[in-house]
Amino acid sequence: MRLITAILLGALPFCGLAQQLMEINPDACCSYYGEDIAENQIYSFSSSTEAEEIVQRIVDVVGLKPNFEIKAGNVPNALATIQNGQRLILYSQNFMLKINNSTGTNWAGISILAHEIAHHLQGHTIEGGGSRPELELEADEWSGFALAKMGATLEEAQKAVETHSSHSGSRTHPPKSARLEAIAVGWAKGNKGILSSATNQPINNINNSSLGNQNNRQEITQPVSPANRLETSTIHIAYAGDSFGCALPVSINIGGKAFELKGNFFTTSGIPRGKQAYQITGEIDCGAYGACTAYGEGFVIVEERTTYYLVWQNTGFGQCSIWLQPY
C-alpha cells in the first residue's frame, strides 16, 4: 500500500520552520472529485482563518462540535482522512480560490468543505477503504442539507459539482447527475423545517446570502400557542447501526416528552408539533470496542410520521456527541 509523506509546517519566531513528519495513506482518503494523489510528498499548512470560520459555521447550523483538524495542503482539491488516529480535512487553498473565482460564488468552496466534513460525521473515514460512490452520494446529500441551513440556494449548493465533476463518474465517484440529485435531496430536507414553519411566506421571498454576507437567512417559526401545543405527532427514531455492533440505550426528550430508545427502530407518539428542543443522554455500548457517555441537544421540526436518525461521533476518551438528523 503506497504511503505518502506529509510534512506539517508551522512558523517559530527566529527558529525557521517546525516540521512534523507524517505518513498518509491515499487509499484511506475520501476526496471531492476523485483525482489520484500523485505527489510524493504532501505538505500541510495551517488553515486560513476564513476556512476555520467556514467550518465552524457549517457545524454550528447542525449543532455539532468539530472533532477533526483542518489544514491546507498541496492536494488536488479536498479530502477527509484519518491518519494515525487523527481526523483530518486537507484542502488546497489554491484550488479553493480558483473554483470560487470560476463559479462566481464562495458557496462552491463552502459546499466542498461541507462534503468533506460529512465524511467524518457519517463515519465514512472510520470504515476505511477511501472513496466509494455510495459514500460520496451520502456526503453530497449532507452538504446540500447543511448549505440549505446556512442560506444557500439550490444552485449555489450544487455549483461545485455542476461546474467541475465528471459526467460519467468513476470507480470511486458517481456521475454528475447522481451527485446533483443527492445534493438536491439534502437541500430539500434542509429547507423543510425553514419553509414549513414560515408564516405565509413564498419560497422565492426568503433571503439568501453569499459567503460575504454575514446576515444569513434565519429560520422563521410561528409562536407556539397553548392550542398548538396540544397538536402532537407520532414519530420514528432509527439507528442504522455500525460495523462495531454498538447499542444505544439512550434517553430522549423532545419538546418535554421523554422516552427510552428500545431497538434500532422505535416509534413514539405524543410529541408536540413544530420546532422543538431535544436532549439525548445515556451511553453508547460497543462491546469489546468500549463504551462512551453520550450527550446531545438541539432542535428538530416535528411533523407526523417523520423519521429521525440517531447519529453519534466520538469526541474524546469515553465521551460521545449524539444528535438527531431528519431523514
Side-chain angles (χ1 to χ4, degrees), residues 67-91:
N67 63 347
F68 51 83
E69 189 174 359
I70 181 170
K71 291 181 176 292
N74 58 318
V75 293
N77 38 77
L79 59 86
T81 186
I82 296 180
Q83 302 295 334
N84 298 322
Q86 182 183 20
R87 293 182 174 91
L88 292 171
I89 291 177
L90 297 174
Y91 73 97

Side-chain angles (χ1 to χ4, degrees), residues 90-112:
L90 297 174
Y91 73 97
S92 166
Q93 185 72 66
N94 184 45
F95 171 80
M96 290 295 187
L97 292 171
K98 288 182 177 179
I99 193 170
N100 285 344
N101 183 59
S102 65
T103 59
T105 174
N106 289 330
W107 286 111
I110 295 173
S111 68
I112 292 173

Side-chain angles (χ1 to χ4, degrees), residues 237-239 247-253 258-263 266 279-285 292-296 310-312 320-324:
I237 306 294
Y239 174 55
L248 277 66
V250 297
S251 300
I252 304 176
N253 187 309
F259 54 93
E260 303 287 327
L261 184 66
K262 300 176 182 178
F266 182 72
Q279 185 179 77
I280 307 172
T281 57
E283 186 178 76
I284 296 174
D285 183 5
C292 62
T293 301
Y295 179 81
L310 271 176
V311 186
W312 64 275
C320 290
S321 176
I322 188 168
W323 64 96
L324 292 176

Side-chain angles (χ1 to χ4, degrees), residues 142-266:
W142 194 91
S143 75
F145 176 85
L147 262 68
K149 291 293 188 183
M150 295 175 72
T153 65
L154 176 58
E155 181 183 16
E156 289 166 336
Q158 294 176 322
K159 206 69 172 180
V161 165
E162 178 66 57
T163 308
H164 289 285
S165 64
S166 167
H167 284 281
S168 58
S170 66
R171 177 183 60 84
T172 59
H173 284 63
K176 177 187 293 188
S177 59
R179 299 192 68 175
L180 291 175
E181 185 65 22
I183 293 172
V185 169
W187 187 88
K189 291 176 181 177
N191 270 283
K192 185 176 181 181
I194 298 171
L195 301 181
S196 65
S197 60
T199 307
N200 299 322
Q201 182 153 341
I203 293 176
N204 59 3
N205 284 342
I206 295 179
N207 290 329
N208 294 294
S209 62
S210 65
L211 175 65
N213 185 350
Q214 299 301 315
N215 297 319
N216 293 324
R217 181 176 65 200
Q218 302 296 315
E219 293 187 14
I220 305 169
T221 56
Q222 295 176 338
V224 180
S225 66
N228 287 338
R229 286 190 180 276
L230 297 177
E231 298 179 4
T232 61
S233 296
T234 297
I235 64 171
H236 309 294
I237 306 294
Y239 174 55
D242 51 60
S243 57
F244 304 106
C246 301
L248 277 66
V250 297
S251 300
I252 304 176
N253 187 309
I254 303 178
K257 174 65 182 290
F259 54 93
E260 303 287 327
L261 184 66
K262 300 176 182 178
N264 279 18
F265 190 86
F266 182 72

Side-chain angles (χ1 to χ4, degrees), residues 44-59:
S44 73
F45 308 84
S46 297
S47 58
S48 68
T49 301
E50 182 186 22
E52 292 176 356
E53 290 175 350
I54 290 170
V55 167
Q56 192 60 53
R57 286 175 58 193
I58 293 170
V59 297

